[in-house]
């Protein structure tokens, strides 16, 4: 009889016990899922969450959703999907150095923007207006609706049946103050890392994309201390860089500078947390943080981006058109519910027609939304809409 000479598998619990800090959230301490499931033989609960998010439809549709700039402005800039991967990458880097639970961090990061409707924050504002009398719309809350109700992938339960830690982390994003007030505890450190990584990521890539799209110049952006110092740092290393390489080197430096600051600041704070558990540190004042200097520099850059990029005339025009189209589509589906796919007609009977229409629209990619607008609003004769 052959002897099985393969070494025993290291369990995720053993791996985490060897690698994680006391204040990391261990997989073995997860409060589990709404619908209890047997343990997986070699994947931990947060790793399974990460995989479930990666394989769900809403995640793939992020490739067709804009971050800040629309698809017809070019192919270089970030989509909601590439933004999400950049956040996950930066969050993992921070989490690994601080010895936090990388599986939980990655699940939270891949999940964090999954509820974004088409056309970014412009689309979110339009849907919020449409649903004003019915509780409004928030992409952070819609992520929970997707994960708990709308995604349909498993025969045994609705939604993705994610762990309570991932759902709670997302709920914190939806309403930070309410979540804190409800339990009197700060979010898990892993949740805080993803929040921080999101900010590091968009400050760096919006700078990159805005310069690439010629909405502002690097020299104009360099009036902000954070970019100015990054530019000086790069020029000191490389005297005569081509413009595109200079821009990219500055973006690398922007990420490096921010991540290094967060790591040094947070490591100094966490040095006081020796021996604390994940729950104990939530009840303490110790947080993942950037230095005061970096926070001020980021604020300066974000104010600049807000004024000169997010409110650029090219983006304002896109924003207005997108909002107008979403509102017209919302009205069209509300007046003609038979145009909704069958399962959203069923959903309308459970949650009311306006919410079901909002859910359907929120799940659309920018492309699909524009196509529906052309077919249902532009090309459809008014009389047929009333049938
Ligand atoms: Mg984000």
């Amino acid at each position: 009889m052959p002897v099985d000479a393969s070494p025993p598998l290291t369990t995720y619990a053993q791996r985490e016990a060897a690698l994680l800090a006391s204040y990391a959230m261990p997989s073995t301490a997860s409060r589990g899922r709404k619908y209890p499931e047997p343990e997986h033989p070699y994947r931990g609960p947060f790793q399974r969450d990460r995989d479930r998010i990666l394989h769900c439809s809403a995640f793939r549709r992020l490739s067709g959703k804009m971050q800040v700039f629309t698809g017809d402005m070019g192919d270089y800039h970030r989509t909601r999907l590439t933004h999400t991967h950049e956040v996950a990458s930066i969050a993992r880097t921070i989490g690994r150095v601080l010895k936090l639970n990388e599986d939980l961090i990655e699940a939270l990061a891949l999940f964090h923007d999954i509820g974004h409707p088409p056309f970014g924050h412009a689309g979110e504002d339009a849907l919020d207006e449409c649903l004003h009398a019915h509780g409004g719309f928030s992409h952070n809350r819609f992520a929970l609706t997707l994960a708990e109700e709308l995604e349909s992938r498993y025969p045994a339960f609705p939604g993705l049946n994610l762990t309570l830690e991932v759902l709670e982390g997302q709920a914190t994003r939806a309403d930070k103050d309410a979540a804190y007030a409800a339990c009197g505890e700060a979010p898990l450190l892993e949740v805080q890392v993803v929040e921080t990584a999101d900010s590091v990521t968009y400050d760096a890539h919006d700078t990159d994309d805005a310069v690439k799209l010629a909405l502002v110049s690097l020299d104009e952006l360099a009036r902000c201390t954070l970019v100015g110092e990054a530019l000086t740092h790069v020029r000191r290393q490389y005297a005569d860089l081509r413009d595109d390489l200079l821009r990219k080197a500055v973006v690398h430096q922007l990420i490096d500078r921010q991540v290094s600051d967060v790591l040094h600041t947070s490591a100094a704070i966490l040095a006081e947390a020796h021996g604390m558990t994940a729950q104990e540190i939530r009840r303490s004042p110790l947080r993942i943080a950037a230095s005061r200097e970096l926070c001020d520099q980021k604020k300066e850059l974000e104010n600049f981006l807000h004024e000169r990029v997010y409110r650029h005339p090219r983006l304002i025009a896109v924003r207005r058109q997108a909002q107008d189209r979403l509102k017209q589509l919302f009205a069209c589906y509300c007046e003609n519910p038979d145009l909704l796919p069958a399962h959203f007609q069923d959903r309308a009977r459970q949650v009311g027609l306006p919410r079901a229409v909002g859910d359907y629209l929120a799940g659309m990619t920018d492309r699909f939304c524009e196509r529906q607008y052309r077919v249902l609003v532009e090309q459809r004769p008014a009389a047929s809409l009333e049938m």
Side-chain angles (χ1 to χ4, degrees):
M1 210 173 132
V3 177
D4 183 1
S6 58
L9 294 173
T10 306
T11 67
Y12 61 83
Q14 289 169 325
R15 186 177 164 280
E16 290 183 3
L19 295 176
L20 302 191
S22 66
Y23 39 74
M25 174 67 207
S27 299
T28 47
S30 170
R31 286 180 288 128
R33 307 171 189 278
K34 181 175 177 185
Y35 302 95
E37 295 180 51
E39 270 192 49
H40 191 275
Y42 48 85
R43 288 184 304 152
F46 303 135
Q47 193 183 354
R48 291 174 87 184
D49 283 358
R50 190 274 314 269
D51 296 346
R52 286 177 185 196
I53 294 161
L54 184 72
H55 290 285
C56 80
S57 318
F59 184 79
R60 288 194 300 283
R61 284 199 299 268
L62 293 177
S63 70
K65 298 192 181 206
M66 61 181 268
Q67 176 70 16
V68 174
F69 310 104
T70 56
D72 56 10
M73 293 174 83
D75 293 329
Y76 176 85
H77 57 262
R78 276 70 176 175
T79 64
R80 193 64 62 179
L81 181 67
T82 59
H83 160 75
T84 295
H85 279 300
E86 289 185 32
V87 172
S89 167
I90 289 172
R92 266 201 320 268
T93 298
I94 297 172
R96 186 172 300 181
V97 175
L98 298 179
K99 298 186 174 179
L100 298 174
N101 193 322
E102 287 178 53
D103 287 340
L104 176 56
I105 283 176
E106 192 172 9
L108 289 162
L110 295 184
F111 190 49
H112 89 283
D113 267 353
I114 210 165
H116 256 289
F119 308 116
H121 289 284
E124 177 169 34
D125 292 347
L127 283 181
D128 189 42
E129 211 179 297
C130 292
L131 289 165
H132 181 69
H134 309 279
F137 178 86
S138 136
H139 78 269
N140 283 320
R141 279 204 305 270
F142 186 61
L144 295 170
T145 306
L146 281 166
E148 294 184 287
E149 300 173 50
L150 292 177
E151 280 289 332
S152 173
R153 306 195 70 75
Y154 303 96
F157 46 77
L160 303 175
N161 201 27
L162 301 177
T163 59
L164 299 181
E165 287 73 25
V166 169
L167 294 176
E168 183 192 88
Q170 182 64 25
T172 313
R173 287 178 60 80
D175 192 342
K176 293 184 183 66
D177 294 338
Y180 188 82
C183 60
E185 293 176 347
L188 288 165
L189 293 179
E190 284 81 357
V191 177
Q192 297 178 40
V193 164
V194 173
E195 192 77 12
T196 304
D198 191 23
S199 164
V200 167
T201 309
Y202 59 65
D203 280 349
H205 70 41
D206 288 354
T207 297
D208 186 20
D209 291 349
V211 175
K212 171 71 176 171
L213 287 166
L215 301 180
V216 287
S217 71
L218 200 50
D219 285 332
E220 286 175 297
L221 271 157
R223 284 184 221 143
C224 301
T225 315
L226 190 60
V227 180
E229 287 183 1
L231 191 59
T232 305
H233 178 91
V234 172
R235 282 189 170 137
R236 219 180 283 137
Q237 277 187 303
Y238 307 100
D240 290 310
L241 275 186
R242 256 182 14 226
D243 283 354
D244 61 325
L245 281 178
L246 179 65
R247 185 189 77 245
K248 290 168 187 171
V250 166
V251 174
H252 294 160
Q253 178 58 22
L254 281 178
I255 295 174
D256 205 45
R257 156 94 170 86
Q258 294 182 83
V259 170
S260 301
D261 182 293
V262 169
L263 283 175
H264 284 115
T265 309
S266 302
I269 291 168
L270 293 176
E272 292 179 40
H274 190 69
M276 277 190 191
T277 65
Q279 290 309 317
E280 284 166 350
I281 203 166
R282 294 179 72 177
R283 292 191 287 271
S284 83
L286 306 176
R287 304 280 181 270
I288 300 296
S291 67
R292 174 48 46 204
E293 183 193 22
L294 179 64
C295 290
D296 290 345
Q297 291 184 1
K298 281 170 68 64
K299 191 86 223 138
E300 184 192 24
L301 174 60
E302 286 164 11
N303 287 340
F304 182 92
L305 289 170
H306 189 72
E307 286 300 317
R308 295 290 307 278
V309 177
Y310 307 144
R311 286 158 68 174
H312 192 281
R314 277 175 74 187
L315 285 185
I316 296 271
V318 166
R319 183 183 166 88
R320 283 211 189 98
Q321 186 186 59
Q323 292 188 321
D324 188 50
R325 289 180 174 185
L326 263 175
K327 286 178 194 171
Q328 289 192 60
L329 268 179
F330 181 85
C332 174
Y333 284 116
C334 285
E335 286 160 21
N336 305 274
D338 55 315
L339 293 174
L340 289 169
H343 58 289
F344 278 96
Q345 294 186 30
D346 291 343
R347 184 160 173 78
R349 286 184 272 280
Q350 297 160 18
V351 299
L353 182 60
R355 177 61 58 188
V357 170
D359 289 348
Y360 181 49
L361 288 171
M364 292 181 181
T365 60
D366 302 352
R367 253 188 323 271
F368 185 75
C369 187
E370 284 187 341
R371 199 185 316 141
Q372 294 308 98
Y373 174 80
R374 277 198 303 279
V375 171
L376 297 180
V377 180
E378 278 188 348
Q379 296 168 9
R380 199 174 162 92
S384 68
L385 284 177
E386 287 158 13
M387 278 169 55

